Amino acid sequence: MSDDKTIDGTAREVRETEAAKPASRAVPRRTWVVGAVALPLALGAVGLSLAQGTPFQPTPVAPVAIQALAPSGATAIKGEVAEIFGNKFVVQDGTGRALVETGREGEGGGLVAKGETVTVQGRFETGFLRARVLTHGDGRTLLLGPAGGPPTGSLDWAKDRLGLGPKPDMAALTASLQAAGYGDVRVTGQGPRHVEVAAKDRDGREHQLHVGFDGQVRERPEPGLPPL
């Protein structure tokens, strides 16, 4: 009988010891599951915040009459959409007609509607206005082509989206251009540490320039020539 009681008491003591163990030593399985789900969601939120950085915006320019279009890295026209041909469309005003090219974004011909009034800003060369900014009559604006800044997904891109990357001091850069003899400065693009600029020299001739954030000014090569 005494042996039975001893075994009984021992069994009760073991159960009481196990029950007395601190719960903090064992992490419930459900906690691991919740953590595994929460981590991708947190990383996804970071990715979303990075992707929502402010896109580059070219310097706005006032539209000119289509008849007055001349080779330029930054010019604009305003008129009615007369014809649509895939990623190209014709804009006409009271002075003439111009062919606009929209690039990859315009494939399918859905960017504009025939008969609507649009303002198109971009580079005019070889008879085409290569659109960079498209503004509809209701004020909706679409930026076409590269987003500007560092390549998407790069470390510089991440820093830029978090506000940690280098920023151009446009007042200082404009002063550098003016000191070099340029005026009518219009920013057309942006890289990791430089901006692309259309500007005119003292004789009124237009130039395409590469301006580093450090103020160094270089002439962009003509199409077909190797980059600087």
Side-chain angles (χ1 to χ4, degrees), residues 14-111:
V14 170
R15 285 196 297 271
E16 289 169 0
T17 302
E18 289 178 348
K21 287 182 180 180
S24 59
R25 293 184 182 179
V27 179
R29 186 168 185 170
R30 182 178 177 182
T31 303
W32 288 107
V33 174
V34 172
V37 173
L39 181 59
L41 289 176
L43 293 177
V46 172
L48 181 61
S49 67
L50 293 178
Q52 290 177 337
T54 303
F56 161 77
Q57 293 291 336
T59 302
V61 297
V64 300
I66 289 177
Q67 188 179 40
L69 276 174
S72 172
T75 190
I77 58 173
K78 181 177 182 178
E80 181 181 294
V81 178
E83 303 289 344
I84 302 173
F85 310 99
N87 69 343
K88 300 178 179 65
F89 60 90
V90 174
V91 174
Q92 64 181 15
D93 64 8
T95 68
R97 293 157 64 100
L99 184 60
V100 176
E101 183 179 27
T102 59
R104 187 178 302 173
E105 290 92 340
E107 292 177 358
L111 284 183

Side-chain angles (χ1 to χ4, degrees), residues 56 58-59 73-74 123 132 186-190 196-198 208 220:
F56 161 77
T59 302
R123 179 194 298 270
R132 187 72 168 109
R186 290 144 290 151
V187 177
T188 61
Q190 183 174 327
E196 303 291 346
V197 168
Q208 305 303 310
R220 287 187 57 194

Side-chain angles (χ1 to χ4, degrees), residues 145-225:
T152 301
S154 66
L155 179 59
D156 283 338
W157 174 85
K159 289 180 178 179
D160 189 54
R161 291 301 181 267
L162 289 172
L164 303 176
K167 301 294 183 185
D169 182 342
M170 288 312 303
L173 297 185
T174 300
S176 297
L177 286 163
Q178 290 172 341
Y182 297 102
D184 191 13
V185 176
R186 290 144 290 151
V187 177
T188 61
Q190 183 174 327
R193 291 176 177 80
H194 76 278
V195 291
E196 303 291 346
V197 168
K200 293 182 179 179
D201 62 21
R202 292 186 177 95
D203 296 324
R205 293 180 301 230
E206 182 153 317
H207 299 263
Q208 305 303 310
L209 305 172
H210 177 293
V211 187
F213 288 178
D214 59 0
Q216 184 179 18
V217 180
R218 294 185 293 172
E219 187 89 12
R220 287 187 57 194
E222 295 296 325
L225 295 179

Side-chain angles (χ1 to χ4, degrees), residues 129-144:
L129 179 58
R130 304 182 190 280
R132 187 72 168 109
V133 183
L134 173 65
T135 304
H136 294 270
D138 59 5
R140 289 180 295 119
T141 298
L142 180 64
L143 183 68
L144 305 175

Side-chain angles (χ1 to χ4, degrees), residues 119-134:
T119 302
V120 185
Q121 176 176 325
R123 179 194 298 270
F124 183 71
E125 59 185 0
T126 62
F128 288 87
L129 179 58
R130 304 182 190 280
R132 187 72 168 109
V133 183
L134 173 65

